[in-house]
């Protein structure tokens, strides 16, 4: 199909598609003449992915470029898959635990729950930064509450990995972890609020 | 204390404090002369809250204004508390279920789990929009996986409401629900990624 047809079947305007091509988040079509290219179903799929990451995931175009570059060259073994996915998700300037107050506390708490935690990893730093911010904002976060949140997110992670393990290729598994993690975050946030209403109604 | 001391004890520059005053997210100090105002501990607390909401919560100053206005006039009864909190969190242009494909499916699934769900509420619409986006991005979300996510977020909501119910006043409970919901979201997102690593390491 031509670029106008790609625009039609994705609902994304031609000028936006040209922007995606220039930014390297959409791969070039097959040149059929000096001014024309031919696009296929893989382009439709990619445009939908880029759109979802930008609009729902709130990812910048530079962030999307990193994500699609990772998806285009999956690691040879599934063992390295989560590492690749998480390097991609942590972004070019990952958070640092030393910049936070509560990293040692969060680390001790998670290790106390039997988790193997990467102490220098970006996500422990992000968790600690969030704990710092919540406390600065006047929200008391006890060890008990933190532990309950951790237990719930472990259940989410179990579901995430079951889906990733059911993938038929490393490329598909990587796609599931990276894209599924980014795009399911807003779903979890919305479900949390719906659950607050349901639990509150149930207790009333 | 004077505005320069407020800046010192919060780490927020004077020009930012003046911006907060103009935008109505920081209440005025007590005038002591034509050009001077006196600030107290309630101002320190408020500046920390605004800072946390803007920097960690990613909330716009207009959004912060809505949140602090709600916190400044809590509802008279605790029954209305979650409603007030959620109206505040949904923002001025809440999502609409009819704009999504999967709202009926998500509603049926949650009702099947025994949840009382507000079918026209903004969060069901947000959940459905996230499901649409995840699927557009190539992530298969089965009913089983959605149900596991919902169960985990119900556990989060139980913890949220236990904290809110332990508050000693309606004002404090409202603060806990509104601010705790916004500022704990990034913590849950980070814990999800740490848990993915822990679960993956445990399975390897």
């Amino acid at each position: 199909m031509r670029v106008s047809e790609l625009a039609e079947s994705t609902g994304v305007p031609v000028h936006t598609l040209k922007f995606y091509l220039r930014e390297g988040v959409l791969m070039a079509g097959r040149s059929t003449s000096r001014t024309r290219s031919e696009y296929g179903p893989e382009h439709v799929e990619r445009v939908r992915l880029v759109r979802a990451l930008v609009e729902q995931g709130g990812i910048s175009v530079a962030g999307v470029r990193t994500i699609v570059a990772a998806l285009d060259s999956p690691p040879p073994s599934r063992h390295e898959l989560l590492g690749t996915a998480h390097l991609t998700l942590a972004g070019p300037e990952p958070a640092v635990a030393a910049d936070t107050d509560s990293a040692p506390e969060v680390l001790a708490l998670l290790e106390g729950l039997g988790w193997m935690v990467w102490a220098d990893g970006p996500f422990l730093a992000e968790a600690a930064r969030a704990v710092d911010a919540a406390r600065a904002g006047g929200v008391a976060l006890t060890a008990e509450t933190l532990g309950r949140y951790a237990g719930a997110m472990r259940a989410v992670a179990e579901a995430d990995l079951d889906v990733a393990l059911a993938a038929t290729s490393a490329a598909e598994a990587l796609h599931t972890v990276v894209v599924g993690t980014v795009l399911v975050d807003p779903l979890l946030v919305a479900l949390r609020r719906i659950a607050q209403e349901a639990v509150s109604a149930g207790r009333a």
Side-chain angles (χ1 to χ4, degrees), chain A:
Chain A
M1 73 188 87
R2 288 158 59 180
V3 71
S4 57
E5 295 163 303
L6 181 60
E8 204 165 307
S9 64
T10 58
V12 174
V14 169
H15 67 92
T16 304
L17 295 176
K18 292 194 169 167
F19 171 70
Y20 289 169
L21 286 163
R22 278 200 308 277
E23 290 290 323
V25 297
L26 175 62
M27 52 285 201
R30 187 171 53 81
S31 280
T32 52
S33 79
R34 203 173 56 78
T35 55
R36 277 202 192 155
S37 291
E38 184 68 16
Y39 299 89
E42 72 277 21
H43 295 90
V44 174
E45 199 180 303
R46 173 59 60 87
V47 170
R48 290 203 176 122
L49 170 61
V50 172
R51 201 67 170 174
L53 289 172
V54 169
E55 297 209 336
Q56 185 71 16
I59 311 277
S60 69
V61 171
V64 173
R65 196 188 301 120
T66 309
I67 289 177
V68 300
L71 297 182
D72 286 341
S73 36
S77 119
R78 289 205 187 198
H79 288 113
E80 297 158 54
L81 201 129
L82 195 68
T84 304
H86 278 186
L87 274 180
T88 307
L89 291 174
E93 288 182 26
V96 177
D99 297 342
T100 71
D101 292 331
S102 51
E105 173 194 347
V106 176
L107 177 63
L109 185 132
L110 297 177
E111 288 184 339
L113 295 171
W115 294 26
M116 276 181 270
V117 178
W118 180 20
D120 296 323
F123 302 122
L124 180 69
E126 284 182 12
R129 196 161 60 183
V131 171
D132 288 354
R135 287 178 177 161
V139 178
L141 274 178
T142 64
E144 193 231 330
T145 304
L146 281 172
R148 291 172 73 179
Y149 289 147
M153 299 325 284
R154 189 178 175 104
V156 168
E158 297 273 5
D160 290 338
L161 290 189
D162 285 345
V163 175
L165 289 176
T168 52
S169 68
E172 191 190 319
L174 183 69
H175 186 108
T176 299
V177 175
V178 173
V179 182
T181 298
V182 171
L183 292 182
V184 169
D185 284 338
L187 170 63
L188 298 173
V189 161
L191 285 174
R192 180 184 180 203
R193 287 151 175 71
I194 302 170
Q196 287 176 346
E197 292 169 357
V199 170
S200 176
R203 290 186 186 182

